[in-house]
Amino acid sequence: MDASPCDTKVVISEDRVVDKSSTAPTVADTKTVVCEEAIGNSKVSSNGDTKLPNHNNKVENNKVSTSPLKDSTGTQAPKKPPKQDKKNKAKAVKEINGQAEGAANRTSSDESETISLEQTLFATKISKSSKSISLDFRLSRGIAQVNEGRYDQAISIFDQILRETPTYPEALIGRGTAYAFQRELDSAISDFTKAIQSNPSAGEAWKRRGQARAALGEFKEAIEDLTKALEFEPNSHDILHERGIVNFKFKDYNSALEDLSTYVKRDKKNSSAHTYLGLTLSVLGEYKRAEDEHLVGIKYDESFLDCWAHLAQLYLDLAYPEKLLNCLEKAIQIDSRFAKAYHLRGILYHGMGRHRSAIKELSIALTYEGSSIECLYLRASCHHAIGEYKAAIKDYDDVLDLELDSMDKFVLQCLAFYQKEMALYIASKANLEFSQFNIDDDIDPLFKEYWCKRLHPKNVAEKVYRQPPLRISLRSGRLNKQDFKFTKHQTTLLLAADSIGKKIQYNCRGFLPNQRQYRMAGLAAIEIAQKVSKAWRFLRNPKNIAKLVRKRDKLNMSQNRGGYCSTSTLSGSPTSSPNEDRVFSGISLSWQEVYNIAVKWRQVSEPCDPVVWVNKLSEEFNSGFGSHTPMLLGQAKVVRYYPYYQRVLEAAKNIMLDLKYVNNAEDRAIFLTDIEKLKKIEVASSCSDLYHIVGETYWVATRCDSMASQGRRLEGTRITTQNMGKTGFDFAIRTPCTPSRWEEYDEEMTAAWEAICEAYCNDTHPTRDPSTLDAVKDAILRMTYYWYNFMPLSRGSAVVGYIVLLGLFLAANMDVTTSIPPDVQVDWEAILSPDPETFVDAVKPWSYPSIKISRCLKDYTDVSCTFSTTGSVVAALTSVDP
């Protein structure tokens, strides 16, 4: 369920084109943020028609292809004789992020022809120019300097022209382009703006300013400028293509689809246009069409690495590991130094629980891109997960030391701070009993809150006790080599765990198979079964029941609602208290203690996920911190959860029609008593329709009927619709955990847990009576239903809920032998069921027939004794990828 636990997502933004014209595998490598290279690769003509070189007709991010340069009259510049091509090769554009990568000679003859500028052309055509021969000659010199990569000299020439003629648009455009080459984007925008003020019909100035604004992330303004440029050049393929890419980055995917679809009709062989169209279709949920577009791009240019990378990203999003690996292998065959391929392969292996393999791939990627924060952070997380804490700390420190240029990267840097502290914590516990590993009680609530919310760690660093340094943590925290050598009994237990754990897999798009998570789930389920079975054996012994009653009478304890597996429902006496349970060596368990077994295993299995109990956070618990699971983000369809969009939409409509009100963002009621509005709700076909009926951001809560208090209705999960402007709506489910809500669900979980204990313990031979077994099955599913509507963890509630379900069935000597059916997500089935019986009816048809009576539990060694230390637990999980 949490098969791809780390949410770090790769963004492909490189353009690497292997040059076939050279015998050596020279590579033009330009890393970009949207539309930046369009500025960097621009060549200026004297009439203000700034043109871009034709890089084999490829367009990536912001690269566009245009016609060759023109002189001041608009006449195309003549080509240089072939023998002069090599002498006129231009220098490669500078890297983004303000880093000049040096000059690299281009070998494409098409580009040489584009860059070449026939200087005598200006003198022959001067009669048609309103400027002086001297002015045009200097302008042509400035253009030549830009084309040759001598930006300071070019700026100096344009400065001289502009001192004499301050509003000369061609000089302003030329200087602005030179500034853009040097990453002085604000100065570039200023010059382009002056050129527009001087000549509002200068389409090239509009285009150039649009490119510069896109490079600064000002996507809305960039789109406006590019749209204006299209008014002056309606047939310009380049501008249309650029606007499509900027629309994509602006997350206006519908507009991007329109622009890019129009472009590929005009230029069917442009590989970059096809691959960006594929990216757009993927975000819009058209996965087959997206794959086809990527493949078309590859068909027209098999050496265009971005096509392969984008196709690989699609396969990663869809969780198609075989296709992804095949795609990356072909990319590496084209260019063995293509860092993004190794990065993607590292992400895949990480998502499949193969952390050692991921480290190898990420290390290769870092040899080619040493400052990649994404690779460094992910490698640190992998070292962290497999117990290589010294290496993890080093990588986390390297992440913290990097200079960043985007907010997304800054978030990773914040996470690295928290992850480093957690690595130091687990290192200090490595050789201690696993029972002493307790993130929820040991780690400061404020730290956990900031970690979950990915906030700036300044307040945490000042107010929270920090973990001891590495040298101190490693005194007791170095993993022993012996932990990785397994006995026969340990190996048998691990194989059994793998078989049980693989049943957690969701057979849906976006969920990778993860061997490490399988093993974690299996070991956790077996440990739960062993401890619950022991508690049930104790309770079924009449002598023990009598002891509990006498002890309870002696202590004169009042009734406790803590949910402890006790004799309350068996003898009619008040339930035992937590203190009394601990008198009996922990044999009696509360529902929270049962689930916490799975929580601890989940925390260790993937340490880059902040899995904590929400009620153990700081003040945020009082203000409703909770989960947020989107189906639709703007116009983007979330691959994992969008399949439930229609059912959730229908549920929201039914709730609105039933209650005739919704709640706004301030939790105030908005009444929907108008008959016309109710009729519109009935026929609404999208979350957009519902939003426009309500008129503002709103939420409704699903129904969740109480089992503990007959007739009471709990607040289930909130279905929210939030306007995100032109880019669409955030349509999601949210589960706020407030103290009052926690108390209500604690009572339900208590009642559900005691019902399971009663159903099983009332019969001395429960496995012999089919009706008793059916009652136990139903009781287990009812508690699972309340867990999924409760969602009490910051993340990981889905997988923890199903692990406990498997463990309880094992404790009752029943083995679930089937996998979850395709396109079914058990937590969503619970959320969309108004009461536990509806959920039982939904799950029963595919689960009950597969349940077999099994006494295999007695064959397994005790998990808590077999893997007693935290280090041995880490070793057991790590051994899936030796």
Side-chain angles (χ1 to χ4, degrees):
M1 295 176 181
D2 278 8
S4 183
C6 186
D7 287 340
T8 305
K9 184 175 180 180
V10 64
V11 178
I12 311 292
S13 61
E14 297 186 355
D15 183 19
R16 297 171 59 92
V17 183
V18 175
D19 194 332
K20 298 179 181 177
S21 65
S22 173
T23 56
T26 56
V27 178
D29 181 357
T30 53
K31 291 169 287 186
T32 71
V33 177
V34 191
C35 292
E36 291 181 351
E37 284 85 30
I39 301 164
N41 292 330
S42 303
K43 307 303 174 186
V44 189
S45 67
S46 61
N47 69 341
D49 291 336
T50 311
K51 299 298 181 183
L52 304 179
N54 185 345
H55 294 295
N56 298 327
N57 289 324
K58 294 180 183 65
V59 184
E60 178 53 27
N61 285 348
N62 55 333
K63 297 185 235 350
V64 297
S65 60
T66 64
S67 58
L69 294 176
K70 300 177 182 180
D71 68 5
S72 59
T73 66
T75 305
Q76 179 173 313
K79 297 180 180 179
K80 284 280 186 181
K83 64 180 181 180
Q84 297 181 7
D85 285 348
K86 293 182 179 179
K87 296 180 180 180
N88 291 284
K89 292 172 185 174
K91 295 180 180 178
V93 296
K94 291 186 178 180
E95 293 268 357
I96 63 161
N97 304 331
Q99 305 264 336
E101 290 291 323
N105 287 334
R106 301 282 189 178
T107 57
S108 168
S109 60
D110 289 341
E111 186 177 349
S112 295
E113 292 167 357
T114 302
I115 296 172
S116 299
L117 184 61
E118 194 67 61
Q119 301 292 347
T120 58
L121 196 62
F122 292 95
T124 61
K125 298 294 182 180
I126 199 64
S127 60
K128 297 183 179 180
S129 173
S130 61
K131 304 297 179 182
S132 69
I133 294 177
S134 174
L135 191 61
D136 263 359
F137 182 74
R138 282 183 290 163
L139 182 65
S140 69
R141 283 179 54 213
I143 294 168
Q145 297 297 322
V146 172
N147 288 350
E148 293 174 9
R150 299 170 182 166
Y151 309 121
D152 288 334
Q153 293 90 325
I155 291 171
S156 177
I157 293 171
F158 291 130
D159 283 344
Q160 293 177 9
I161 296 173
L162 290 169
R163 275 195 291 269
E164 299 171 12
T165 314
T167 60
Y168 191 10
E170 289 83 354
L172 287 166
I173 293 172
R175 189 175 68 176
T177 304
Y179 279 137
F181 261 107
Q182 296 182 319
R183 301 294 306 152
E184 297 180 25
L185 296 176
D186 289 329
S187 296
I189 290 172
S190 176
D191 274 355
F192 297 141
T193 301
K194 292 175 183 176
I196 291 170
Q197 293 169 348
S198 176
N199 181 9
S201 62
E204 195 63 27
W206 290 101
K207 181 174 76 171
R208 290 285 156 235
R209 191 172 72 174
Q211 293 168 346
R213 284 176 162 174
L216 286 175
E218 299 173 357
F219 298 128
K220 181 180 178 182
E221 294 79 5
I223 291 168
E224 292 173 354
D225 283 351
L226 293 171
T227 301
K228 191 70 175 179
L230 272 174
E231 293 180 11
F232 299 108
E233 299 181 51
N235 297 321
S236 171
H237 298 186
D238 302 334
I239 300 174
L240 186 66
H241 184 205
E242 283 194 65
R243 191 177 67 176
I245 294 173
V246 179
N247 275 320
F248 177 85
K249 294 294 181 178
F250 188 51
K251 300 182 180 181
D252 186 358
Y253 303 115
N254 292 325
S255 296
L257 178 63
E258 182 180 351
D259 283 347
L260 294 169
S261 297
T262 303
Y263 182 87
V264 296
K265 290 177 182 177
R266 300 178 183 178
D267 186 357
K268 296 181 179 180
K269 295 186 178 182
N270 190 306
S271 296
S272 181
H274 282 291
T275 195
Y276 248 101
L277 181 56
L279 288 173
T280 304
L281 289 166
S282 173
V283 172
L284 293 173
E286 299 285 343
Y287 305 116
K288 184 61 177 69
R289 287 180 62 195
E291 181 182 26
D292 291 343
E293 288 297 332
H294 291 311
L295 291 173
V296 169
I298 292 170
K299 171 186 173 183
Y300 290 126
D301 188 351
E302 292 185 358
S303 66
F304 188 33
L305 291 173
D306 274 349
C307 278
W308 291 105
H310 291 159
L311 180 59
Q313 180 70 61
L314 173 66
Y315 292 146
L316 180 63
D317 292 341
L318 297 176
Y320 295 165
E322 294 82 8
K323 285 187 173 183
L324 171 58
L325 289 172
N326 182 57
C327 185
L328 294 177
E329 186 61 35
K330 291 179 179 178
I332 291 171
Q333 288 174 4
I334 296 169
D335 180 7
S336 62
R337 299 172 60 85
F338 186 34
K340 188 59 66 180
Y342 299 105
H343 185 189
L344 280 169
R345 200 150 61 181
I347 292 173
L348 173 68
Y349 287 148
H350 174 271
M352 297 177 70
R354 297 174 55 186
H355 289 62
R356 291 193 187 278
S357 299
I359 289 171
K360 294 177 183 177
E361 298 298 325
L362 294 167
S363 297
I364 296 173
L366 285 166
T367 61
Y368 302 127
E369 287 189 13
S371 61
S372 171
I373 188 172
E374 295 87 356
C375 288
L376 271 174
Y377 176 80
L378 191 57
R379 189 174 70 174
S381 297
C382 291
H383 282 305
H384 186 169
I386 66 176
E388 295 177 352
Y389 303 117
K390 187 174 182 179
I393 298 301
K394 181 181 182 304
D395 277 351
Y396 285 136
D397 282 337
D398 288 344
V399 170
L400 292 169
D401 290 340
L402 286 175
E403 293 185 8
L404 305 180
D405 58 4
S406 73
M407 184 54 66
D408 289 341
K409 294 180 180 180
F410 176 71
V411 170
L412 288 181
Q413 207 168 50
C414 291
L415 285 174
F417 170 85
Y418 300 112
Q419 289 301 126
K420 177 183 174 181
E421 292 293 305
M422 296 308 302
L424 291 169
Y425 170 78
I426 192 172
S428 68
K429 302 290 183 180
N431 291 324
L432 302 179
E433 293 293 318
F434 188 41
S435 59
Q436 296 186 43
F437 173 82
N438 192 337
I439 289 176
D440 289 284
D441 289 340
D442 293 347
I443 303 300
D444 188 277
L446 183 67
F447 179 96
K448 290 183 293 185
E449 175 196 324
Y450 274 54
W451 180 29
C452 290
K453 298 178 74 174
R454 304 182 175 193
L455 298 178
H456 194 292
K458 182 176 183 294
N459 286 340
V460 172
E462 294 175 350
K463 299 178 182 178
V464 173
Y465 170 75
R466 303 282 293 278
Q467 295 297 320
L470 183 64
R471 58 183 177 80
I472 297 177
S473 296
L474 287 182
R475 287 176 186 172
S476 60
R478 202 179 303 276
L479 261 64
N480 297 320
K481 292 183 179 179
Q482 193 63 32
D483 289 333
F484 292 91
K485 296 178 181 179
F486 302 113
T487 65
K488 181 179 179 181
H489 291 300
Q490 286 177 319
T491 302
T492 301
L493 184 59
L494 293 177
L495 291 175
D498 292 344
S499 177
I500 294 169
K502 66 182 181 181
K503 293 161 191 170
I504 66 171
Q505 180 68 42
Y506 276 172
N507 296 303
C508 308
R509 282 174 174 162
F511 292 91
L512 284 167
N514 190 313
Q515 300 297 325
R516 184 182 176 93
Q517 297 298 313
Y518 294 168
R519 180 164 292 184
M520 173 276 297
L523 288 170
I526 293 172
E527 183 177 352
I528 288 168
Q530 290 171 338
K531 291 185 176 179
V532 170
S533 177
K534 186 176 181 180
W536 285 347
R537 286 197 304 271
F538 181 88
L539 289 175
R540 290 213 310 273
N541 187 326
K543 294 181 180 179
N544 292 331
I545 294 174
K547 288 180 181 178
L548 282 174
V549 172
R550 287 196 300 271
K551 181 70 175 177
R552 191 178 298 112
D553 292 341
K554 183 178 179 180
L555 296 175
N556 194 24
M557 299 294 292
S558 61
Q559 183 173 356
N560 171 54
R561 299 174 71 143
Y564 284 76
C565 177
S566 64
T567 59
S568 62
T569 54
L570 306 179
S571 63
S573 302
T575 60
S576 62
S577 70
N579 290 333
E580 182 181 346
D581 285 323
R582 282 160 178 75
V583 168
F584 291 100
S585 303
I587 290 175
S588 297
L589 299 169
S590 73
W591 69 265
Q592 193 165 353
E593 287 171 324
V594 173
Y595 279 90
N596 197 49
I597 296 170
V599 170
K600 287 179 64 175
W601 280 93
R602 177 65 181 83
Q603 289 169 333
V604 172
S605 68
E606 194 51 71
C608 74
D609 291 342
V611 178
V612 295
W613 291 92
V614 174
N615 68 324
K616 295 296 184 72
L617 298 177
S618 66
E619 295 179 358
E620 280 300 309
F621 176 57
N622 296 318
S623 60
F625 178 90
S627 64
H628 170 222
T629 308
M631 293 157 283
L632 192 68
L633 273 174
Q635 299 165 13
K637 297 175 180 177
V638 179
V639 63
R640 286 186 172 187
Y641 308 120
Y642 187 78
Y644 278 90
Y645 172 88
Q646 200 59 43
R647 284 182 60 183
V648 175
L649 181 69
E650 291 301 317
K653 289 168 57 177
N654 291 334
I655 294 168
M656 294 166 77
L657 292 171
D658 180 33
L659 300 179
K660 295 183 176 54
Y661 75 89
V662 297
N663 296 280
N664 66 9
E666 288 75 35
D667 293 337
R668 288 186 288 103
I670 302 174
F671 293 97
L672 304 169
T673 54
D674 184 87
I675 296 177
E676 290 301 318
K677 285 188 176 182
L678 295 176
K679 288 181 178 179
K680 289 180 180 179
I681 292 171
E682 289 180 355
V683 299
S685 60
S686 67
C687 63
S688 173
D689 292 341
L690 292 181
Y691 177 86
H692 288 109
I693 294 169
V694 175
E696 60 180 293
T697 295
Y698 71 91
W699 61 268
V700 294
T702 59
R703 171 183 154 192
C704 181
D705 288 351
S706 171
M707 185 176 71
S709 301
Q710 204 70 22
R712 185 173 67 173
R713 179 177 294 184
L714 307 176
E715 180 184 312
T717 301
R718 293 183 179 183
I719 303 172
T720 65
T721 304
Q722 181 178 356
N723 188 6
M724 298 178 68
K726 184 181 178 182
T727 57
F729 297 88
D730 179 340
F731 188 60
I733 57 171
R734 299 173 185 260
T735 51
C737 285
T738 58
S740 59
R741 190 176 188 274
W742 187 280
E743 290 175 5
E744 291 178 347
Y745 275 95
D746 180 39
E747 184 177 346
E748 295 300 327
M749 293 296 292
T750 297
W753 172 231
E754 291 184 346
I756 296 173
C757 296
E758 179 179 5
Y760 189 81
C761 296
N762 265 349
D763 194 327
T764 55
H765 299 287
T767 56
R768 298 179 184 177
D769 185 357
S771 61
T772 299
L773 289 180
D774 286 343
V776 173
K777 294 174 189 175
D778 290 353
I780 291 172
L781 288 183
R782 289 190 192 100
M783 187 169 76
T784 304
Y785 167 79
Y786 285 112
W787 170 266
Y788 282 139
N789 278 276
F790 189 8
M791 290 288 181
L793 303 178
S794 58
R795 65 176 299 161
S797 294
V799 70
V800 167
Y802 206 74
I803 289 170
V804 173
L805 179 147
L806 293 173
L808 293 177
F809 275 115
L810 278 176
N813 296 314
M814 292 183 281
D815 185 15
V816 179
T817 61
T818 190
S819 299
I820 300 170
D823 303 323
V824 172
Q825 298 183 37
V826 181
D827 53 327
W828 284 81
E829 296 298 326
I831 288 168
L832 294 174
S833 297
D835 54 68
E837 301 311 315
T838 303
F839 174 67
V840 171
D841 292 340
V843 176
K844 183 187 297 185
W846 57 265
S847 61
Y848 282 19
S850 76
I851 296 176
K852 309 297 181 185
I853 300 299
S854 172
R855 299 189 180 277
C856 62
L857 187 63
K858 62 182 178 58
D859 299 328
Y860 305 143
T861 57
D862 188 278
V863 173
S864 59
C865 294
T866 305
F867 300 105
S868 58
T869 66
T870 302
S872 64
V873 167
V874 172
L877 298 176
T878 301
S879 63
V880 298
D881 185 33

